[in-house]
């Protein structure tokens, strides 16, 4: 069946759980509370990983909650119709998730003391992960080819819009007290140190034992085994597990197995054009 994306303010969203109404509500009417913590990402940047980390931190390192309750209930997708219900009945302080670009984020956030954790990832790895994800998700168009998907990604013609705009938009928040950004690559390289930094930002003290438990239970291996976060419980008409695996490889640099030299050079040119002027140097910028 042909997929028709929902469009809100010029950005496409997958139709499964999103509607123009749910997106408008999230943007204009959703009431942010000062003690809310938001997990914000562009797709395929480590969203579900961060859900595990943040919920483990919230439960002081005890994995019982992560093992018993679905990730989408632990950190509801408040901009979708299903997620909104969970978000509205969630006891404070809430943990919430979304892929919204900053210009569509709840207006009530700005001026609040709520916190945002923004996770970003090497866009070439995002692209590869997004390519495989689109194949297994029924609410995404099946990519015609890797080359076509690359062109669509570069021009922002994919659900959730342009990676470049998303990152540039959110990075404007850099330096604000209630904004914390981290990369997938840093999580990979030093999960323990990353968890410590997150705890500091969240003003939640965890002892060494609790931190060890967060690190252990948020590992790729532990997450693969946990049905509450490995997506295997999603119905087939949402995610077809025969067409792929949500927790696919979980590595940095898989793009090297997919891009030709010409594709990589073309990508780099656009990357430098679009990201020029951003003072931040990300781990993948190191030559
Ligand atoms: P790959 O497709 O490259 O394997 P999102 O949650 O934003 O959709 O991102 C999914 C990507 O994060 C997938 O990347 C997935 O494997 C990876 N991921 C999720 N949990 C991870 C973990 N604990 N360690 C490493 N990668 C993880």
């Amino acid at each position: 069946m042909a997929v028709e994306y929902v469009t809100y303010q010029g950005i496409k969203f997958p139709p499964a759980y999103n509607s123009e109404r749910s997106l408008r509500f999230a943007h204009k009417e959703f009431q942010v509370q000062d003690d809310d913590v938001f997990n914000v990402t562009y797709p395929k940047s480590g969203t579900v990983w961060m859900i595990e980390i943040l919920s483990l931190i919230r439960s002081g390192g005890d994995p019982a909650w992560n093992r018993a309750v679905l990730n989408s209930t632990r950190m509801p997708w408040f901009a979708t119709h299903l997620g909104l219900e969970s978000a509205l009945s969630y006891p404070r302080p809430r943990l919430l998730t979304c892929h919204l670009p900053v210009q569509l984020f709840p207006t009530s956030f700005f001026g609040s003391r709520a916190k945002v954790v923004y996770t970003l990832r090497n866009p070439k790895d995002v692209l590869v992960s997004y390519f495989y994800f689109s194949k297994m998700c029924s609410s995404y168009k099946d990519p015609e080819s890797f080359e076509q998907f690359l062109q669509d990604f570069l021009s922002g013609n994919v659900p959730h819009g342009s990676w470049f705009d998303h990152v540039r938009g959110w990075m404007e928040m850099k330096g604000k007290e209630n904004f914390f950004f981290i990369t997938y690559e840093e999580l990979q390289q030093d999960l323990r140190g990353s968890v410590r930094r997150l705890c500091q930002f969240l003003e939640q003290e965890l002892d060494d034992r609790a931190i060890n438990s967060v690190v252990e239970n948020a590992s790729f291996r532990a997450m693969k085994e946990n049905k509450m976060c490995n997506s295997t419980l999603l119905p087939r008409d949402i995610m077809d597990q025969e067409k792929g695996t949500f927790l696919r490889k979980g590595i940095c640099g898989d793009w090297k197995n997919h891009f030709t030299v010409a594709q990589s050079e073309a990508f780099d040119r656009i990357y430098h054009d679009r990201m020029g002027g951003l003072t931040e140097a990300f781990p993948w910028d190191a030559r």
Side-chain angles (χ1 to χ4, degrees), residues 42-49 99 121 129 184 188 218-220 223 246-251:
Y42 185 83
K44 316 319 293 172
S45 304
T47 326
V48 161
W49 194 2
H99 288 319
R121 182 182 190 186
S129 183
Y184 177 98
Q188 281 278 10
S219 71
F220 191 65
M223 284 179 59
F246 178 79
L247 293 171
R248 196 181 56 90
K249 283 198 180 170
I251 58 168

Side-chain angles (χ1 to χ4, degrees), residues 264-283:
S264 175
E265 285 175 358
F267 190 105
D268 290 346
R269 276 195 295 277
I270 292 177
Y271 179 86
H272 289 118
D273 255 21
R274 298 296 312 276
M275 304 306 277
L278 204 70
T279 49
E280 191 63 40
F282 299 115

Side-chain angles (χ1 to χ4, degrees), residues 34 36-38 109 113-117 178 200-203:
D34 279 333
D36 285 341
V37 174
F38 291 90
F109 166 76
R113 292 166 56 205
K115 295 184 176 181
V116 165
V117 174
N178 59 345
Q200 235 171 16
F201 172 68
L202 298 169
E203 297 169 280

Side-chain angles (χ1 to χ4, degrees), residues 235-254:
R236 194 167 170 192
D237 60 345
I238 295 288
M239 205 179 273
D240 188 344
Q241 314 285 334
E242 282 177 15
K243 293 188 180 159
T245 311
F246 178 79
L247 293 171
R248 196 181 56 90
K249 283 198 180 170
I251 58 168
C252 299
D254 193 32

Side-chain angles (χ1 to χ4, degrees), residues 18-34:
N18 296 289
S19 62
E20 204 194 329
R21 191 155 166 245
S22 72
L23 290 156
R24 188 182 306 108
F25 185 88
H27 182 200
K28 309 263 189 198
E29 287 172 60
F30 187 76
Q31 285 308 306
V32 170
Q33 312 285 349
D34 279 333

Side-chain angles (χ1 to χ4, degrees), residues 35-39 54 58 75 94-96 115 117 202:
D35 50 6
D36 285 341
V37 174
F38 291 90
N39 170 30
L54 293 177
R58 173 62 58 87
M75 291 198 69
R94 300 182 296 189
L95 291 173
L96 302 163
K115 295 184 176 181
V117 174
L202 298 169

Side-chain angles (χ1 to χ4, degrees), residues 168-186:
R168 288 195 69 102
W170 275 107
M171 289 308 288
E172 297 263 318
M173 293 280 294
K174 188 184 153 193
K176 294 225 173 0
E177 220 172 66
N178 59 345
F179 178 74
F180 180 92
F181 74 93
I182 191 159
T183 61
Y184 177 98
E185 290 70 19
E186 288 169 283

Side-chain angles (χ1 to χ4, degrees), residues 221-246:
R221 182 192 42 77
M223 284 179 59
K224 270 232 174 235
E225 283 166 15
N226 182 1
K227 282 195 178 332
M228 297 298 150
C229 67
N230 67 11
S231 294
T232 52
L233 292 180
L234 287 173
R236 194 167 170 192
D237 60 345
I238 295 288
M239 205 179 273
D240 188 344
Q241 314 285 334
E242 282 177 15
K243 293 188 180 159
T245 311
F246 178 79

